[in-house]
Amino acid sequence: MSMIKAYSLLKEIKPYKQGWCIQVKMVHSWRQKTNYGGDTLEMILADETGAKIHCSARKNLIQRTQSKFRLGEWRLIDTFTVSHARGQYRPTCHTYKMSIIDDTTITQSTFECGDEFMTFHSFEEIGNGTLKNHFLIDIIGQVTSLRDIQTVQVADNDKKKVEFRLMDINGQSIACCLWGNYAEQLEEHLQKMNDPNMVCMIRFAKIGFYRGDVQITNAFDASLIRFNPQIPESLALKNKMLNNNFSLALTGQNKDKRVIKDQIDDWNDVSIRSISDIQVASQEEDCKIICSIESIDTDWSWFYFGHVSRSRFKLHLVVKDGTSTCKLMLLDSIAKIVVGCKAEELQDGSYEEIEDPDVLLQAITNLVGKSFCFGLTLGSENVNDGSEIYLVSQVWSGDRILQIESTSEPITHVSSGSSFLSAGEVSVHENNEANSAEGTSTPLSKRKEKDQIDQNSTTKKICTKLVKTEKNKDD
């Protein structure tokens, strides 16, 4: 009687030998063709602990491997090479990568486990730079702000492209862009299903950057996309988002072919618009408005409880410029820049719901009258569905407002003393003394405006005093 060979966990395998035996499940596979590697079968394998490793089989071994090992199956793999995992976009965080060789044997396993071993990362850690960009990630969220599916030219080849945002269960959103076959899958799903609260899961997605913002994209052919997957995370998200104002609105399909042009990876080329202009906007776009905060919209709570009961900002403001007023929504990463602290610092450990929405903390009411330049994302919910709430994606204050208003040069060319505030920053940096020392000057009319803005600095000490706000008599 033959003895059953002991197997190792994935964390134990090292390059010093080929005689390893592992028990693993295939959770994903795809074909890949490169100039240096030729035609290969790429696989993601997981063991019973959930550890994952990237595995490859070269062209002459693909058919044999596929005949003995299919997606979702558990197998015992004996004898293979282990090498250092390299590459700009790595599908697992394992230090090593394994390769099927001529001496590899793949046999049946009696072990059973239906787990797909997904690891979803929060949008906060994706956006704040906690994760390393060279690792592919799993992500899930509700599709919002879906833009037209386009056919564009890339390297003289036609390719489909679609942009949208994903919103997670905590109300945070992140930009996404799917290319090629992945854009076609989304298009096909939308054509077949009337699905206003569609949940999209992207496995092995790439963290990139577009116009200064984090953007999730497919990693060539290595990613896996599923819509409304029957997993707990998807069901919880759909239940949470049923009353969400930013539910999906499918825009008209644009079949025109366009050639991709070079695009600036920041907000320098985004135009300043008046509030009255954005209220009649007929297309989805990014824009900037310069305005002052007129009031806090107390129809909404200024916070919500997110992951592990941490309070997060979800601040609704009424702002005005010389043409009109509008409502803005600032999610946690932007709101804490404007307020100057984290929501949990204001909550001071309290888990109580708001009893009287007109009673606000002084740190919130202090925002009224302050001036900011807000970068807005006009999505399909605004342009096509008539939503009057605009999502804030960037914010500037202080000297930067004056520079944006008065100069025609790109923002990146102005003095280093200005303060550019992005979603990844948590403080305002203003250096007026440094500007004076360098001999810079400001016109008198602008200096008066600057002084008024400086008095509204968001770097003041946090005040948790409760203030009763008064609504207009017409309310």
Side-chain angles (χ1 to χ4, degrees):
M1 179 180 296
S2 61
M3 297 185 62
I4 299 176
K5 185 175 181 179
Y7 60 85
S8 303
L9 296 176
L10 290 180
K11 67 179 182 180
E12 298 170 336
I13 65 173
K14 303 289 191 296
Y16 67 83
K17 70 174 185 178
Q18 297 181 359
W20 297 101
C21 181
I22 57 174
Q23 181 174 253
V24 289
K25 178 181 183 177
M26 186 189 297
V27 296
H28 183 41
S29 69
W30 69 97
R31 293 288 289 268
Q32 180 173 288
K33 190 170 186 178
T34 61
N35 292 331
Y36 57 87
D39 189 10
T40 59
L41 173 66
E42 307 297 324
M43 297 163 282
I44 305 299
L45 310 179
D47 67 14
E48 59 200 69
T49 69
K52 293 186 284 287
I53 193 169
H54 183 193
C55 177
S56 292
R58 62 181 185 268
K59 184 176 180 179
N60 65 313
L61 298 173
I62 291 178
Q63 185 175 355
R64 192 184 80 179
T65 302
Q66 288 181 323
S67 66
K68 296 182 178 182
F69 199 7
R70 292 175 294 186
L71 189 66
E73 294 179 336
W74 286 90
R75 290 291 184 267
L76 290 167
I77 304 180
D78 194 345
T79 310
F80 49 87
T81 61
V82 180
S83 58
H84 188 69
R86 295 183 175 87
Q88 187 176 5
Y89 303 112
R90 291 162 50 184
T92 79
C93 59
H94 202 293
T95 305
Y96 302 110
K97 173 185 176 181
M98 56 178 285
S99 298
I100 303 296
I101 58 177
D102 291 332
D103 294 333
T104 300
T105 61
I106 302 175
T107 56
Q108 296 281 343
S109 169
T110 58
F111 186 75
E112 294 183 2
C113 177
D115 199 326
E116 296 187 62
F117 302 109
M118 291 174 285
T119 305
F120 294 114
H121 294 279
S122 71
F123 287 14
E124 180 179 20
E125 63 180 339
I126 295 173
N128 64 18
T130 302
L131 301 178
K132 295 181 179 179
N133 296 341
H134 58 269
F135 289 123
L136 305 184
I137 63 169
D138 297 340
I139 187 172
I140 190 169
Q142 182 198 20
V143 175
T144 68
S145 303
L146 180 68
R147 301 201 175 188
D148 291 342
I149 297 174
Q150 305 169 359
T151 299
V152 297
Q153 278 195 347
V154 179
D156 296 326
N157 294 316
D158 289 348
K159 184 174 288 191
K160 288 196 173 182
K161 166 191 174 185
V162 60
E163 294 179 280
F164 55 93
R165 298 189 73 84
L166 282 182
M167 184 173 289
D168 68 6
I169 200 167
N170 296 321
Q172 295 192 357
S173 69
I174 196 165
C176 294
C177 180
L178 297 178
W179 291 86
N181 177 55
Y182 299 94
E184 292 172 2
Q185 291 181 55
L186 186 144
E187 181 180 33
E188 181 180 357
H189 176 81
L190 292 173
Q191 290 173 348
K192 290 181 178 179
M193 307 293 291
N194 182 16
D195 195 6
N197 294 105
M198 175 175 63
V199 173
C200 178
M201 179 190 77
I202 310 174
R203 297 204 69 182
F204 311 108
K206 180 175 68 174
I207 303 175
F209 294 90
Y210 174 65
R211 300 179 73 174
D213 193 13
V214 173
Q215 185 186 68
I216 301 299
T217 66
N218 56 283
F220 307 102
D221 295 324
S223 299
L224 175 68
I225 185 170
R226 287 166 59 186
F227 304 105
N228 299 323
Q230 294 302 304
I231 58 175
E233 292 85 354
S234 176
L235 299 177
L237 187 59
K238 286 183 73 70
N239 290 335
K240 184 78 172 180
M241 298 298 183
L242 284 177
N243 298 318
N244 181 19
N245 284 341
F246 292 93
S247 59
L248 171 68
L250 178 60
T251 60
Q253 302 298 304
N254 184 359
K255 302 300 182 180
D256 295 336
K257 184 186 301 184
R258 301 195 306 171
V259 177
I260 290 183
K261 298 180 179 179
D262 292 335
Q263 295 165 319
I264 300 176
D265 291 336
D266 54 37
W267 286 73
N268 289 1
D269 59 338
V270 176
S271 61
I272 299 174
R273 305 282 296 277
S274 67
I275 291 178
S276 60
D277 281 343
I278 68 171
Q279 289 172 331
V280 296
S282 59
Q283 62 182 9
E284 298 174 39
E285 61 179 321
D286 295 325
C287 65
K288 295 194 288 272
I289 62 170
I290 295 177
C291 58
S292 61
I293 298 175
E294 185 177 54
S295 63
I296 312 300
D297 188 353
T298 54
D299 287 349
W300 304 79
S301 172
W302 58 269
F303 70 94
Y304 67 95
F305 291 110
H307 184 56
V308 294
S309 299
R310 288 176 53 194
S311 55
R312 300 177 185 275
F313 283 116
K314 193 173 184 180
L315 190 59
H316 289 76
L317 305 177
V318 178
V319 300
K320 63 178 180 180
D321 64 6
T323 66
S324 186
T325 63
C326 71
K327 296 181 178 180
L328 306 180
M329 185 177 76
L330 287 66
L331 298 179
D332 189 67
S333 57
I334 294 291
K336 65 185 178 185
I337 297 171
V338 174
V339 177
C341 66
K342 297 180 180 179
E344 57 190 294
E345 295 176 23
L346 297 181
Q347 284 294 99
D348 195 24
S350 172
Y351 297 100
E352 299 294 328
E353 287 188 328
I354 292 177
E355 295 293 337
D356 185 350
D358 294 327
V359 177
L360 297 171
L361 295 172
Q362 188 170 335
I364 303 296
T365 60
N366 282 345
L367 297 177
V368 176
K370 292 184 178 181
S371 297
F372 293 93
C373 177
F374 291 112
L376 307 184
T377 297
L378 306 187
S380 58
E381 65 276 357
N382 305 118
V383 176
N384 299 299
D385 289 354
S387 174
E388 297 178 349
I389 300 176
Y390 300 91
L391 178 66
V392 176
S393 299
Q394 296 279 13
V395 61
W396 299 260
S397 72
D399 288 348
R400 180 51 63 93
I401 298 179
L402 305 181
Q403 292 161 345
I404 292 174
E405 273 191 309
S406 62
T407 182
S408 59
E409 296 180 358
I411 295 174
T412 52
H413 292 172
V414 297
S415 170
S416 60
S418 61
S419 47
F420 174 78
L421 308 179
S422 68
E425 299 174 305
V426 295
S427 62
V428 178
H429 304 284
E430 294 190 299
N431 192 9
N432 296 327
E433 292 182 2
N435 285 348
S436 299
E438 291 171 2
T440 58
S441 61
T442 305
L444 178 61
S445 60
K446 293 297 181 182
R447 279 204 300 268
K448 292 180 179 179
E449 184 178 357
K450 170 180 173 297
D451 292 340
Q452 181 179 359
I453 295 171
D454 285 347
Q455 292 172 4
N456 293 326
S457 171
T458 59
T459 59
K460 295 179 181 179
K461 183 179 180 180
I462 300 170
C463 181
T464 57
K465 179 180 177 181
L466 292 174
V467 178
K468 177 75 174 182
T469 61
E470 296 183 3
K471 290 190 174 182
N472 295 332
K473 293 182 180 180
D474 295 336
D475 291 348

